[in-house]
Amino acid sequence: STQVVLEDFEGTAPTVAGFEGLASATVSAGPVDSANTALELITSTTGQGWQGAELIMQSNLIDLSTDNTVKIDVYSTTAFTMFAKVEDKVNATASAASAADEAHTGSGWETLTFTFNEALDGTAAANGQYSQVAFFPNWSGSGWNDPIIDITVNIDNVTANAGDAIVVPSTQVVLEDFEGTAPTVAG
């Protein structure tokens, strides 16, 4: 099948979260064209080397079962190597976590192609569909940078084969509010 843009950070912002001491992970105006939004990561020299941010896909899973490449537009004015890891924590499928890395020259916007068959950081080759991708900007190409580099990176246009549609759970309702007739309870 043909690769499509699965996340362009326009419209409803996806769920993103920084971890391990990343200073910031926000969807905001892009660095060149403020009308274009992107995911901005700002590292912190007081965080862990493996600090980063995860992106939870909104519409479709990333399908890496037949084509294990993901193209991502990355903006930086500093040369660095990005480490990316796909996992499926949302749907708990049997898809094995997989990681890949790609060097950026620091020349502004570049399209990086991550091939998830590298067995980096103890992971396996990609073998299915994934609900999230995590980005780690402090990778040296063989391990975590020490000392940690202070860098701002923007991410846009996550492009891959579209997997299954992500099903949003139906609206939750209160099943028991303990008002009215008391429910049966036992110690």
Side-chain angles (χ1 to χ4, degrees):
S1 62
T2 304
Q3 290 195 334
V4 296
V5 175
L6 295 176
E7 182 59 67
D8 64 5
F9 301 97
E10 305 298 327
T12 303
T15 300
V16 295
F19 54 81
E20 296 295 344
L22 187 79
S24 175
T26 56
V27 176
S28 57
V32 175
D33 175 6
S34 62
N36 179 45
T37 55
L39 172 60
E40 180 184 71
L41 308 182
I42 302 173
T43 65
S44 171
T45 56
T46 61
Q48 299 292 340
W50 50 91
Q51 64 188 277
E54 59 189 11
L55 161 67
I56 306 296
M57 303 310 293
Q58 295 189 88
S59 301
N60 291 81
L61 298 172
I62 298 170
D63 184 358
L64 301 178
S65 55
T66 58
D67 180 352
N68 56 12
T69 62
V70 177
K71 292 179 179 71
I72 302 169
D73 292 342
V74 179
Y75 180 90
S76 177
T77 56
T78 303
F80 78 107
T81 298
M82 175 81 82
F83 179 94
K85 184 176 184 180
V86 289
E87 293 184 88
D88 186 19
K89 293 181 179 176
V90 174
N91 297 307
T93 65
S95 300
S98 185
D101 65 358
E102 193 66 29
H104 190 288
T105 69
S107 69
W109 282 112
E110 298 177 17
T111 300
L112 303 183
T113 300
F114 294 86
T115 304
F116 289 95
N117 65 355
E118 301 174 24
L120 293 175
D121 198 37
T123 63
N127 67 346
Q129 298 188 54
Y130 298 87
S131 60
Q132 72 182 46
V133 58
F135 303 104
F136 302 82
N138 256 293
W139 179 253
S140 69
S142 60
W144 306 110
N145 288 328
D146 185 17
I148 295 165
I149 61 170
D150 186 11
I151 189 171
T152 298
V153 174
N154 291 87
I155 295 167
D156 203 359
N157 299 323
V158 177
T159 303
N161 285 344
D164 294 340
I166 293 174
V167 178
V168 177
S170 60
T171 304
Q172 295 183 349
V173 296
V174 176
L175 298 177
E176 180 58 68
D177 65 2
F178 300 95
E179 303 299 325
T181 305
T184 303
V185 295

PDB file of all heavy atoms in Angstrom, residues 71-93:
ATOM      1  N   LYS A  71       8.633   7.906   7.380  1.00  0.00           N
ATOM      2  CA  LYS A  71       9.283   9.165   7.006  1.00  0.00           C
ATOM      3  C   LYS A  71       8.741  10.265   7.913  1.00  0.00           C
ATOM      4  O   LYS A  71       7.533  10.356   8.130  1.00  0.00           O
ATOM      5  CB  LYS A  71       9.010   9.502   5.543  1.00  0.00           C
ATOM      6  CG  LYS A  71       9.670   8.542   4.566  1.00  0.00           C
ATOM      7  CD  LYS A  71       9.343   8.931   3.123  1.00  0.00           C
ATOM      8  CE  LYS A  71      10.009   8.017   2.130  1.00  0.00           C
ATOM      9  NZ  LYS A  71       9.442   6.668   2.079  1.00  0.00           N
ATOM     10  N   ILE A  72       9.654  11.077   8.436  1.00  0.00           N
ATOM     11  CA  ILE A  72       9.269  12.134   9.360  1.00  0.00           C
ATOM     12  C   ILE A  72      10.039  13.393   8.984  1.00  0.00           C
ATOM     13  O   ILE A  72      11.256  13.352   8.791  1.00  0.00           O
ATOM     14  CB  ILE A  72       9.579  11.736  10.817  1.00  0.00           C
ATOM     15  CG1 ILE A  72       8.851  10.436  11.178  1.00  0.00           C
ATOM     16  CG2 ILE A  72       9.200  12.849  11.779  1.00  0.00           C
ATOM     17  CD1 ILE A  72       9.273   9.817  12.478  1.00  0.00           C
ATOM     18  N   ASP A  73       9.321  14.516   8.864  1.00  0.00           N
ATOM     19  CA  ASP A  73       9.979  15.798   8.636  1.00  0.00           C
ATOM     20  C   ASP A  73      10.496  16.299   9.982  1.00  0.00           C
ATOM     21  O   ASP A  73       9.730  16.391  10.953  1.00  0.00           O
ATOM     22  CB  ASP A  73       9.012  16.814   8.031  1.00  0.00           C
ATOM     23  CG  ASP A  73       8.593  16.444   6.609  1.00  0.00           C
ATOM     24  OD1 ASP A  73       9.287  15.621   5.980  1.00  0.00           O
ATOM     25  OD2 ASP A  73       7.568  16.979   6.141  1.00  0.00           O
ATOM     26  N   VAL A  74      11.798  16.605  10.029  1.00  0.00           N
ATOM     27  CA  VAL A  74      12.439  17.043  11.268  1.00  0.00           C
ATOM     28  C   VAL A  74      13.179  18.347  10.995  1.00  0.00           C
ATOM     29  O   VAL A  74      13.906  18.463  10.004  1.00  0.00           O
ATOM     30  CB  VAL A  74      13.417  15.966  11.790  1.00  0.00           C
ATOM     31  CG1 VAL A  74      14.105  16.430  13.062  1.00  0.00           C
ATOM     32  CG2 VAL A  74      12.684  14.636  12.019  1.00  0.00           C
ATOM     33  N   TYR A  75      12.983  19.314  11.890  1.00  0.00           N
ATOM     34  CA  TYR A  75      13.656  20.610  11.769  1.00  0.00           C
ATOM     35  C   TYR A  75      14.661  20.768  12.902  1.00  0.00           C
ATOM     36  O   TYR A  75      14.336  20.567  14.083  1.00  0.00           O
ATOM     37  CB  TYR A  75      12.645  21.757  11.851  1.00  0.00           C
ATOM     38  CG  TYR A  75      13.285  23.123  11.730  1.00  0.00           C
ATOM     39  CD1 TYR A  75      13.440  23.727  10.491  1.00  0.00           C
ATOM     40  CD2 TYR A  75      13.740  23.806  12.855  1.00  0.00           C
ATOM     41  CE1 TYR A  75      14.032  24.985  10.364  1.00  0.00           C
ATOM     42  CE2 TYR A  75      14.333  25.055  12.740  1.00  0.00           C
ATOM     43  CZ  TYR A  75      14.480  25.634  11.497  1.00  0.00           C
ATOM     44  OH  TYR A  75      15.063  26.872  11.384  1.00  0.00           O
ATOM     45  N   SER A  76      15.879  21.142  12.541  1.00  0.00           N
ATOM     46  CA  SER A  76      16.904  21.470  13.526  1.00  0.00           C
ATOM     47  C   SER A  76      17.948  22.348  12.854  1.00  0.00           C
ATOM     48  O   SER A  76      18.193  22.213  11.657  1.00  0.00           O
ATOM     49  CB  SER A  76      17.567  20.195  14.070  1.00  0.00           C
ATOM     50  OG  SER A  76      18.605  20.544  14.974  1.00  0.00           O
ATOM     51  N   THR A  77      18.552  23.235  13.631  1.00  0.00           N
ATOM     52  CA  THR A  77      19.669  24.018  13.123  1.00  0.00           C
ATOM     53  C   THR A  77      20.982  23.496  13.710  1.00  0.00           C
ATOM     54  O   THR A  77      22.026  24.098  13.526  1.00  0.00           O
ATOM     55  CB  THR A  77      19.485  25.511  13.461  1.00  0.00           C
ATOM     56  OG1 THR A  77      19.323  25.647  14.876  1.00  0.00           O
ATOM     57  CG2 THR A  77      18.275  26.079  12.727  1.00  0.00           C
ATOM     58  N   THR A  78      20.913  22.365  14.421  1.00  0.00           N
ATOM     59  CA  THR A  78      22.077  21.690  14.997  1.00  0.00           C
ATOM     60  C   THR A  78      22.119  20.267  14.475  1.00  0.00           C
ATOM     61  O   THR A  78      21.084  19.584  14.471  1.00  0.00           O
ATOM     62  CB  THR A  78      21.957  21.647  16.544  1.00  0.00           C
ATOM     63  OG1 THR A  78      21.808  22.975  17.035  1.00  0.00           O
ATOM     64  CG2 THR A  78      23.170  20.991  17.167  1.00  0.00           C
ATOM     65  N   ALA A  79      23.263  19.796  14.040  1.00  0.00           N
ATOM     66  CA  ALA A  79      23.382  18.396  13.607  1.00  0.00           C
ATOM     67  C   ALA A  79      23.212  17.483  14.826  1.00  0.00           C
ATOM     68  O   ALA A  79      23.743  17.764  15.908  1.00  0.00           O
ATOM     69  CB  ALA A  79      24.738  18.164  12.954  1.00  0.00           C
ATOM     70  N   PHE A  80      22.448  16.415  14.662  1.00  0.00           N
ATOM     71  CA  PHE A  80      22.223  15.451  15.746  1.00  0.00           C
ATOM     72  C   PHE A  80      21.690  14.162  15.145  1.00  0.00           C
ATOM     73  O   PHE A  80      21.372  14.099  13.962  1.00  0.00           O
ATOM     74  CB  PHE A  80      21.256  16.019  16.793  1.00  0.00           C
ATOM     75  CG  PHE A  80      19.804  15.962  16.384  1.00  0.00           C
ATOM     76  CD1 PHE A  80      18.942  15.051  16.966  1.00  0.00           C
ATOM     77  CD2 PHE A  80      19.299  16.809  15.403  1.00  0.00           C
ATOM     78  CE1 PHE A  80      17.612  14.993  16.581  1.00  0.00           C
ATOM     79  CE2 PHE A  80      17.972  16.757  15.011  1.00  0.00           C
ATOM     80  CZ  PHE A  80      17.129  15.841  15.603  1.00  0.00           C
ATOM     81  N   THR A  81      21.579  13.132  15.966  1.00  0.00           N
ATOM     82  CA  THR A  81      20.972  11.877  15.527  1.00  0.00           C
ATOM     83  C   THR A  81      19.710  11.638  16.342  1.00  0.00           C
ATOM     84  O   THR A  81      19.733  11.695  17.574  1.00  0.00           O
ATOM     85  CB  THR A  81      21.940  10.695  15.697  1.00  0.00           C
ATOM     86  OG1 THR A  81      23.091  10.936  14.878  1.00  0.00           O
ATOM     87  CG2 THR A  81      21.295   9.382  15.267  1.00  0.00           C
ATOM     88  N   MET A  82      18.592  11.401  15.641  1.00  0.00           N
ATOM     89  CA  MET A  82      17.304  11.122  16.282  1.00  0.00           C
ATOM     90  C   MET A  82      17.130   9.613  16.409  1.00  0.00           C
ATOM     91  O   MET A  82      17.363   8.869  15.451  1.00  0.00           O
ATOM     92  CB  MET A  82      16.156  11.694  15.452  1.00  0.00           C
ATOM     93  CG  MET A  82      14.777  11.358  15.967  1.00  0.00           C
ATOM     94  SD  MET A  82      14.246  12.393  17.315  1.00  0.00           S
ATOM     95  CE  MET A  82      13.666  13.815  16.392  1.00  0.00           C
ATOM     96  N   PHE A  83      16.731   9.185  17.583  1.00  0.00           N
ATOM     97  CA  PHE A  83      16.373   7.797  17.851  1.00  0.00           C
ATOM     98  C   PHE A  83      14.856   7.782  17.958  1.00  0.00           C
ATOM     99  O   PHE A  83      14.273   8.651  18.607  1.00  0.00           O
ATOM    100  CB  PHE A  83      17.026   7.397  19.188  1.00  0.00           C
ATOM    101  CG  PHE A  83      16.756   6.003  19.662  1.00  0.00           C
ATOM    102  CD1 PHE A  83      17.644   4.983  19.362  1.00  0.00           C
ATOM    103  CD2 PHE A  83      15.667   5.713  20.462  1.00  0.00           C
ATOM    104  CE1 PHE A  83      17.432   3.699  19.837  1.00  0.00           C
ATOM    105  CE2 PHE A  83      15.443   4.430  20.936  1.00  0.00           C
ATOM    106  CZ  PHE A  83      16.332   3.423  20.626  1.00  0.00           C
ATOM    107  N   ALA A  84      14.200   6.858  17.279  1.00  0.00           N
ATOM    108  CA  ALA A  84      12.748   6.749  17.332  1.00  0.00           C
ATOM    109  C   ALA A  84      12.382   5.315  17.692  1.00  0.00           C
ATOM    110  O   ALA A  84      13.069   4.372  17.291  1.00  0.00           O
ATOM    111  CB  ALA A  84      12.129   7.130  15.988  1.00  0.00           C
ATOM    112  N   LYS A  85      11.308   5.162  18.453  1.00  0.00           N
ATOM    113  CA  LYS A  85      10.878   3.828  18.894  1.00  0.00           C
ATOM    114  C   LYS A  85       9.366   3.720  18.736  1.00  0.00           C
ATOM    115  O   LYS A  85       8.631   4.600  19.184  1.00  0.00           O
ATOM    116  CB  LYS A  85      11.269   3.623  20.361  1.00  0.00           C
ATOM    117  CG  LYS A  85      10.970   2.247  20.908  1.00  0.00           C
ATOM    118  CD  LYS A  85      11.506   2.156  22.336  1.00  0.00           C
ATOM    119  CE  LYS A  85      11.325   0.778  22.911  1.00  0.00           C
ATOM    120  NZ  LYS A  85      11.840   0.707  24.292  1.00  0.00           N
ATOM    121  N   VAL A  86       8.910   2.657  18.069  1.00  0.00           N
ATOM    122  CA  VAL A  86       7.475   2.409  17.929  1.00  0.00           C
ATOM    123  C   VAL A  86       7.065   1.317  18.914  1.00  0.00           C
ATOM    124  O   VAL A  86       7.803   0.361  19.149  1.00  0.00           O
ATOM    125  CB  VAL A  86       7.084   1.999  16.483  1.00  0.00           C
ATOM    126  CG1 VAL A  86       7.201   3.185  15.537  1.00  0.00           C
ATOM    127  CG2 VAL A  86       7.898   0.825  15.977  1.00  0.00           C
ATOM    128  N   GLU A  87       5.900   1.514  19.508  1.00  0.00           N
ATOM    129  CA  GLU A  87       5.332   0.542  20.441  1.00  0.00           C
ATOM    130  C   GLU A  87       3.819   0.563  20.287  1.00  0.00           C
ATOM    131  O   GLU A  87       3.271   1.484  19.692  1.00  0.00           O
ATOM    132  CB  GLU A  87       5.684   0.888  21.901  1.00  0.00           C
ATOM    133  CG  GLU A  87       7.154   0.770  22.229  1.00  0.00           C
ATOM    134  CD  GLU A  87       7.418   1.021  23.698  1.00  0.00           C
ATOM    135  OE1 GLU A  87       7.357   0.063  24.470  1.00  0.00           O
ATOM    136  OE2 GLU A  87       7.667   2.185  24.054  1.00  0.00           O
ATOM    137  N   ASP A  88       3.163  -0.428  20.859  1.00  0.00           N
ATOM    138  CA  ASP A  88       1.708  -0.412  20.889  1.00  0.00           C
ATOM    139  C   ASP A  88       1.245  -0.626  22.318  1.00  0.00           C
ATOM    140  O   ASP A  88       0.897  -1.731  22.709  1.00  0.00           O
ATOM    141  CB  ASP A  88       1.092  -1.456  19.956  1.00  0.00           C
ATOM    142  CG  ASP A  88      -0.424  -1.316  19.908  1.00  0.00           C
ATOM    143  OD1 ASP A  88      -0.926  -0.226  20.280  1.00  0.00           O
ATOM    144  OD2 ASP A  88      -1.104  -2.269  19.528  1.00  0.00           O
ATOM    145  N   LYS A  89       1.257   0.440  23.093  1.00  0.00           N
ATOM    146  CA  LYS A  89       0.784   0.382  24.475  1.00  0.00           C
ATOM    147  C   LYS A  89      -0.723   0.592  24.558  1.00  0.00           C
ATOM    148  O   LYS A  89      -1.347   0.205  25.523  1.00  0.00           O
ATOM    149  CB  LYS A  89       1.485   1.445  25.319  1.00  0.00           C
ATOM    150  CG  LYS A  89       2.962   1.182  25.502  1.00  0.00           C
ATOM    151  CD  LYS A  89       3.599   2.248  26.364  1.00  0.00           C
ATOM    152  CE  LYS A  89       5.071   1.978  26.565  1.00  0.00           C
ATOM    153  NZ  LYS A  89       5.735   3.058  27.321  1.00  0.00           N
ATOM    154  N   VAL A  90      -1.308   1.227  23.541  1.00  0.00           N
ATOM    155  CA  VAL A  90      -2.732   1.555  23.582  1.00  0.00           C
ATOM    156  C   VAL A  90      -3.595   0.318  23.342  1.00  0.00           C
ATOM    157  O   VAL A  90      -4.526   0.030  24.085  1.00  0.00           O
ATOM    158  CB  VAL A  90      -3.071   2.662  22.564  1.00  0.00           C
ATOM    159  CG1 VAL A  90      -4.572   2.905  22.503  1.00  0.00           C
ATOM    160  CG2 VAL A  90      -2.334   3.939  22.940  1.00  0.00           C
ATOM    161  N   ASN A  91      -3.301  -0.434  22.277  1.00  0.00           N
ATOM    162  CA  ASN A  91      -4.136  -1.584  21.919  1.00  0.00           C
ATOM    163  C   ASN A  91      -3.596  -2.907  22.437  1.00  0.00           C
ATOM    164  O   ASN A  91      -4.248  -3.929  22.315  1.00  0.00           O
ATOM    165  CB  ASN A  91      -4.289  -1.664  20.397  1.00  0.00           C
ATOM    166  CG  ASN A  91      -4.999  -0.449  19.858  1.00  0.00           C
ATOM    167  OD1 ASN A  91      -6.074  -0.114  20.312  1.00  0.00           O
ATOM    168  ND2 ASN A  91      -4.369   0.233  18.925  1.00  0.00           N
ATOM    169  N   ALA A  92      -2.386  -2.895  22.981  1.00  0.00           N
ATOM    170  CA  ALA A  92      -1.759  -4.087  23.545  1.00  0.00           C
ATOM    171  C   ALA A  92      -1.733  -5.250  22.550  1.00  0.00           C
ATOM    172  O   ALA A  92      -2.037  -6.386  22.883  1.00  0.00           O
ATOM    173  CB  ALA A  92      -2.453  -4.493  24.844  1.00  0.00           C
ATOM    174  N   THR A  93      -1.381  -4.948  21.293  1.00  0.00           N
ATOM    175  CA  THR A  93      -1.231  -6.020  20.312  1.00  0.00           C
ATOM    176  C   THR A  93       0.089  -6.720  20.577  1.00  0.00           C
ATOM    177  O   THR A  93       0.866  -6.323  21.443  1.00  0.00           O
ATOM    178  CB  THR A  93      -1.207  -5.446  18.876  1.00  0.00           C
ATOM    179  OG1 THR A  93      -0.035  -4.640  18.718  1.00  0.00           O
ATOM    180  CG2 THR A  93      -2.447  -4.633  18.565  1.00  0.00           C
TER     181      THR A  93
END
